[in-house]
Amino acid sequence: LSRYHTDFHEIEQIGYGNFSRVFKVLKRIDGCMYAVKHSIRQLHQDTEKRQALMEVQALAALGSHANIVNYYTSWFENEHLYIQMELCDCSLSIKESSPFFSEGEVLEIMYQIAQALQYIHERGIAHLDVKPDNIYVKNGIYKLGDFGCATLIDRSLPIEEGDARYMPQEILNDKYEHLEKVDIFSLGVAIYELVRRSPLPESGPPFLNLREGKIPLLPGHSLQFQNLLKVMLDPDPVRRPSAKELLENPIFDRARKISRTK
Ligand code: ATP
Ligand code: MG
Ligand code: MG
């Protein structure tokens, strides 16, 4: 008997990754909609299982936060891992039809995701796959999701690396110190991409330049905003601000006010 089919009515597929498919489902017992992610391949080996379980263990250990995609439960069925989570409206993946975000809106996204990062970093976890695709929106709130690459910050072992386009040089050099600063760099690249409104190529400029700390000018954006991106993208992880330091920047005064009235 399948727990998935007993407990849920499948509505439609809403996404897929390299190893997983995600469905919008109705939970029969409570009548609410959720997202259920399942691994495409059967997880036979313990090493495969352990990697897949990092995602649920990180989500479960973190508990709930307004700016993190909420986790409910997980289980194995025929050697497939199922994860029940909060259903979001969409993610910020960059497409031809991507919406235009004003600087104020971009700062709002940055502010909310930095709060998620501060929260997980304080709990010793680094996300390591921060990118527009993994930033979800639900009722106008931005949420960090897809903890498939998450790891413990003080673990100095090789990790499941996220999308290379968002990774700083130190990770490409196999240096696993200051893993929380990797998330700050990736958020900087993600924000740059949102502003630029076209997907970053796999190699070459402008993203090579970003990694070298050369930020192309962003016409129409304040100097304060561009300087903030520049420090987030500093090639030296020690010089990049922590999420907490980032949030103290006066540039977020307006975002702070909005969030207090919510
Ligand atoms: P893989 O790790 O196998 O490469 P992935 O980690 O990219 O897959 P996710 O990012 O978790 O998988 O999900 C894939 C897609 O499914 C997302 O890009 C998004 O479109 C959709 N999706 C995932 N979770 C949710 C959710 N909670 N609410 C709405 N849509 C979701
Ligand atoms: Mg993803
Ligand atoms: Mg993933």
Side-chain angles (χ1 to χ4, degrees):
L1 208 63
S2 154
R3 171 166 171 187
Y4 179 59
H5 288 106
T6 305
D7 289 0
F8 301 95
H9 172 68
E10 195 172 88
I11 310 282
E12 61 182 335
Q13 183 168 343
I14 50 177
Y16 60 89
N18 290 321
F19 306 100
S20 61
R21 293 199 287 167
V22 181
F23 291 87
K24 174 180 175 177
V25 298
L26 173 78
K27 190 165 191 179
R28 300 181 201 275
I29 198 163
D30 63 17
C32 291
M33 297 292 186
Y34 296 93
V36 169
K37 176 172 174 173
H38 22 127
S39 55
I40 296 168
R41 288 194 313 119
Q42 288 186 311
L43 306 171
H44 292 296
Q45 285 158 7
D46 282 353
T47 48
E48 289 175 322
K49 276 193 184 141
R50 221 173 296 133
Q51 183 54 52
L53 285 177
M54 259 314 290
E55 180 169 0
V56 295
Q57 286 168 359
L59 284 167
L62 286 169
S64 77
H65 184 279
N67 302 114
I68 295 177
V69 176
N70 217 344
Y71 159 81
Y72 294 99
T73 188
S74 54
W75 69 97
F76 270 111
E77 196 169 306
N78 299 325
E79 301 194 67
H80 293 277
L81 178 64
Y82 288 72
I83 307 175
Q84 181 198 343
M85 53 192 169
E86 171 181 14
L87 177 68
C88 297
D89 302 332
C90 60
S91 83
L92 293 182
S93 28
I94 308 296
K95 304 181 215 85
E96 299 300 313
S97 58
S98 288
F100 168 81
F101 293 108
S102 68
E103 187 170 302
E105 286 164 330
V106 171
L107 285 169
E108 185 65 40
I109 297 169
M110 216 192 223
Y111 181 73
Q112 293 189 26
I113 298 307
Q115 294 211 47
L117 292 179
Q118 181 186 358
Y119 180 85
I120 70 169
H121 294 167
E122 274 174 358
R123 284 157 184 78
I125 291 173
H127 183 280
L128 302 186
D129 201 15
V130 176
K131 55 177 175 174
D133 204 37
N134 290 335
I135 297 175
Y136 293 86
V137 194
K138 186 187 175 190
N139 301 331
I141 309 277
Y142 299 99
K143 292 167 187 268
L144 183 61
D146 188 0
F147 281 68
C149 297
T151 193
L152 297 175
I153 289 171
D154 50 21
R155 200 171 87 153
S156 50
L157 297 166
I159 38 167
E160 175 82 359
E161 275 168 34
D163 194 323
R165 292 173 300 165
Y166 303 84
M167 290 296 125
Q169 190 59 44
E170 74 263 17
I171 288 295
L172 306 183
N173 296 347
D174 292 330
K175 284 222 178 76
Y176 302 112
E177 286 160 25
H178 314 292
L179 285 181
E180 74 286 1
K181 299 293 184 75
V182 175
D183 288 341
I184 301 297
F185 183 91
S186 304
L187 179 59
V189 180
I191 294 297
Y192 175 81
E193 196 182 15
L194 284 178
V195 169
R196 190 173 169 263
R197 289 177 70 217
S198 64
L200 291 178
E202 293 290 331
S203 60
F207 113 97
L208 245 188
N209 306 343
L210 293 183
R211 197 175 280 151
E212 288 166 0
K214 294 182 211 129
I215 324 301
L217 271 180
L218 293 168
H221 283 273
S222 68
L223 211 57
Q224 199 188 8
F225 176 77
Q226 304 197 50
N227 285 338
L228 183 62
L229 277 189
K230 198 166 166 59
V231 292
M232 293 174 77
L233 296 168
D234 198 301
D236 180 357
V238 177
R239 298 219 310 245
R240 273 172 229 150
S242 66
K244 187 169 184 288
E245 287 162 349
L246 187 65
L247 288 165
E248 283 162 4
N249 192 305
I251 203 171
F252 295 117
D253 284 352
R254 192 168 163 270
R256 234 188 310 276
K257 246 181 236 145
I258 293 171
S259 86
R260 264 199 236 107
T261 58
K262 262 185 191 157

